[in-house]
Amino acid sequence: MNRRQFVQSTSALVAGLAASAKSIAADEPAAEEKPPIIPVVMAPRKDGVEIIWRVGSYKKGHVEYGETEELGSVQRNNGWGLRPAGDMAIRVKLDGLKPGTKYFYRIVTESFSPKSPKTSKGEIRSFKTLDPDQKETSFTVWNDTHQQAETLKKLTEITPASDFLLWNGDICNDWRSEKEIVETLLAPEGLDFTKDSPLCMVRGNHDLRGSVAAQLQDYAAMPEDKPWFAFRSGPIAVICMDTGEDKPDDHPYLFGRVACEPMREEQAEWLAEIIEKPEFKDAPFRLVFCHIPLRWTDESTDKGYDHFSKRSRDLWHESLVKWGTQAIISGHTHRPTLIPANKDFPYAQLVGGGPKLSQATLIQGTAKGNKLSLISKDLEGNTKHEISFKGLS
């Protein structure tokens, strides 16, 4: 074969291989486009929020933010002299923001590769900080979703934009892996559920269960870095308490793994102090959120677990009465219930529904003028319970 014949033969072979590859590529399905990363806005405060997002491998990240879509500010430091990073999720805490202000932001994720680092920027989104001085406010409550996909989808669909969304415990059955925590808490089922309302999370008894329950704190941001906290949103003062397990600490089922009694006692001391602060002491409306109710319709029965948390109530009741608590909002029983205030318990008890579509409820609260309204609805929009209060000051 002479040189010309060799070149012609080789060119034909290359052209044939290219055509064959093109044909195979045409027959193969296109690679699936990766879904967008959905950040979760948690732990709203009057001066900031925490933004958390999932990652598939070890990466670092930061948040660009500002009062306009031009952004302009960057938060890179997590406070310990290290860049926010993780192999499951990245957390960035924003501080020093203005109350009641809309901020725009986007997440930036970066690989650690020294040779060919890759940077991925999310879309520009927004959140609003809490405002203790605004004249009206609104919020929404979920509870006992227990990783039920259809219930979560429906709740996300019908939840209106509000100043905060409160997930009132038992978001899981029990925690078996960190991956499960991330998939359950951070944009579960790909749902963008904090797009219009920043998230506050209260733990339920199931959220203390499982082999990696202690790792929940790595992914669940809290305003005060503890699972109990308080804040003002307009005329409503909100106190969130952790009722812990529904069994005593020495119950065989718990394998000696919980220490809820000292936690409740610590909260009792904290509660006695927080209710004396001016922003809580002078609030027109006063609500407490906790997963296990502090009251129940029949407190004489014992079925192996607590329908209500008497251990918590015995420690907290005096401060709750002194503060002028108007209502306790809870979950746990999977039975939508309203127990009015009475002489012995001058605070109402409102309880949400269960994890199934047919059981679940959406509780909405609105404070405007001299009225606070609480409405519990099923997922079809039918009112289950409704109660209202006049301002205390």
Side-chain angles (χ1 to χ4, degrees):
M1 181 184 293
N2 61 33
R3 183 175 181 278
R4 178 175 293 179
Q5 288 174 321
F6 175 78
V7 171
Q8 289 175 341
S9 176
T10 303
S11 299
L13 176 62
V14 171
L17 290 173
S20 177
K22 186 175 181 180
S23 175
I24 292 171
D27 292 337
E28 289 180 347
E32 289 187 14
E33 186 176 337
K34 290 185 178 180
I37 297 172
I38 301 173
V40 175
V41 181
M42 289 190 73
R45 312 180 309 279
K46 65 180 180 180
D47 61 351
V49 298
E50 194 152 348
I51 297 171
I52 311 175
W53 66 97
R54 295 165 64 173
V55 292
S57 59
Y58 194 63
K59 291 182 173 64
K60 60 186 175 182
H62 61 269
V63 172
E64 300 173 344
Y65 67 98
E67 292 183 47
T68 71
E69 293 190 37
E70 298 298 317
L71 306 178
S73 297
V74 179
Q75 176 58 280
R76 285 193 173 92
N77 192 315
N78 73 354
W80 284 62
L82 292 168
R83 295 280 296 277
D87 59 355
M88 293 277 190
I90 296 174
R91 295 174 57 165
V92 176
K93 188 174 184 179
L94 301 181
D95 290 309
L97 306 186
K98 299 176 183 177
T101 302
K102 182 177 181 178
Y103 284 88
F104 295 89
Y105 77 96
R106 71 179 165 202
I107 57 172
V108 180
T109 308
E110 305 165 277
S111 71
F112 276 97
S113 172
K115 292 184 178 180
S116 56
K118 295 181 180 179
T119 298
S120 173
K121 293 190 175 185
E123 64 178 13
I124 293 178
R125 302 162 64 88
S126 66
F127 64 84
K128 183 184 175 186
T129 51
L130 296 177
D131 186 355
D133 298 322
Q134 66 188 23
K135 301 301 181 183
E136 57 187 75
T137 191
S138 65
F139 62 86
T140 310
V141 184
W142 298 357
N143 64 275
D144 293 275
T145 47
H146 285 281
Q147 299 168 301
Q148 293 293 306
E150 293 306 312
T151 299
L152 287 163
K153 289 175 183 176
K154 184 63 176 179
L155 282 167
T156 301
E157 176 188 326
I158 66 174
T159 296
S162 57
D163 290 308
F164 63 92
L165 165 64
L166 195 136
W167 208 343
N168 206 3
D170 279 9
I171 71 173
C172 75
N173 295 312
D174 56 77
W175 301 119
R176 295 164 292 183
S177 69
E178 287 191 58
K179 183 174 183 287
E180 184 177 39
I181 295 175
V182 170
E183 291 178 346
T184 302
L185 180 61
L186 304 182
E189 305 298 325
L191 299 171
D192 194 358
F193 68 104
T194 66
K195 180 181 179 181
D196 300 312
S197 309
L199 175 67
C200 301
M201 199 199 97
V202 172
R203 287 194 308 180
N205 52 299
H206 278 270
D207 302 320
L208 279 80
R209 297 178 184 176
S211 58
V212 297
Q215 274 64 61
L216 177 61
Q217 64 187 9
D218 294 334
Y219 305 99
M222 299 289 176
E224 300 171 23
D225 295 324
K226 288 188 176 182
W228 59 89
F229 50 92
F231 60 86
R232 273 287 293 268
S233 183
I236 299 178
V238 172
I239 294 179
C240 295
M241 306 292 284
D242 192 325
T243 45
E245 265 289 0
D246 62 2
K247 300 172 181 64
D249 287 358
D250 60 359
H251 193 285
Y253 176 79
L254 302 175
F255 303 102
R257 137 189 101 69
V258 302
C260 294
E261 287 303 326
M263 180 184 72
R264 294 188 190 99
E265 292 171 0
E266 183 179 351
Q267 288 179 83
E269 296 177 4
W270 172 86
L271 179 62
E273 295 176 0
I274 204 75
I275 62 173
E276 297 298 335
K277 292 190 174 183
E279 62 266 40
F280 298 99
K281 191 173 184 178
D282 300 334
F285 304 108
R286 303 168 196 186
L287 297 178
V288 170
F289 294 86
C290 57
H291 177 68
I292 302 178
L294 300 188
R295 302 174 59 197
W296 191 237
T297 53
D298 181 359
E299 298 190 357
S300 63
T301 58
D302 181 8
K303 296 184 178 180
Y305 67 94
D306 293 337
H307 282 91
F308 74 106
S309 185
K310 187 175 186 301
R311 285 179 285 271
S312 299
R313 189 174 75 193
D314 287 347
L315 288 166
W316 306 342
H317 176 74
E318 184 177 344
S319 290
L320 295 175
V321 173
K322 180 180 179 182
W323 187 45
T325 306
Q326 292 164 300
I328 313 286
I329 301 176
S330 305
H332 184 60
T333 65
H334 300 182
R335 290 169 53 186
T337 304
L338 174 61
I339 308 172
N342 60 34
K343 182 180 178 181
D344 294 327
F345 301 103
Y347 44 82
Q349 175 72 69
L350 180 61
V351 180
K356 297 179 181 178
L357 280 170
S358 59
Q359 298 174 313
T361 56
L362 186 73
I363 297 174
Q364 293 176 267
T366 305
K368 186 176 182 179
N370 197 40
K371 182 180 180 180
L372 166 63
S373 297
L374 301 176
I375 302 176
S376 174
K377 298 180 180 181
D378 65 23
L379 302 196
E380 298 301 317
N382 303 306
T383 297
K384 306 293 288 185
H385 298 102
E386 185 172 1
I387 189 170
S388 62
F389 305 91
K390 292 183 179 179
L392 295 175
S393 56

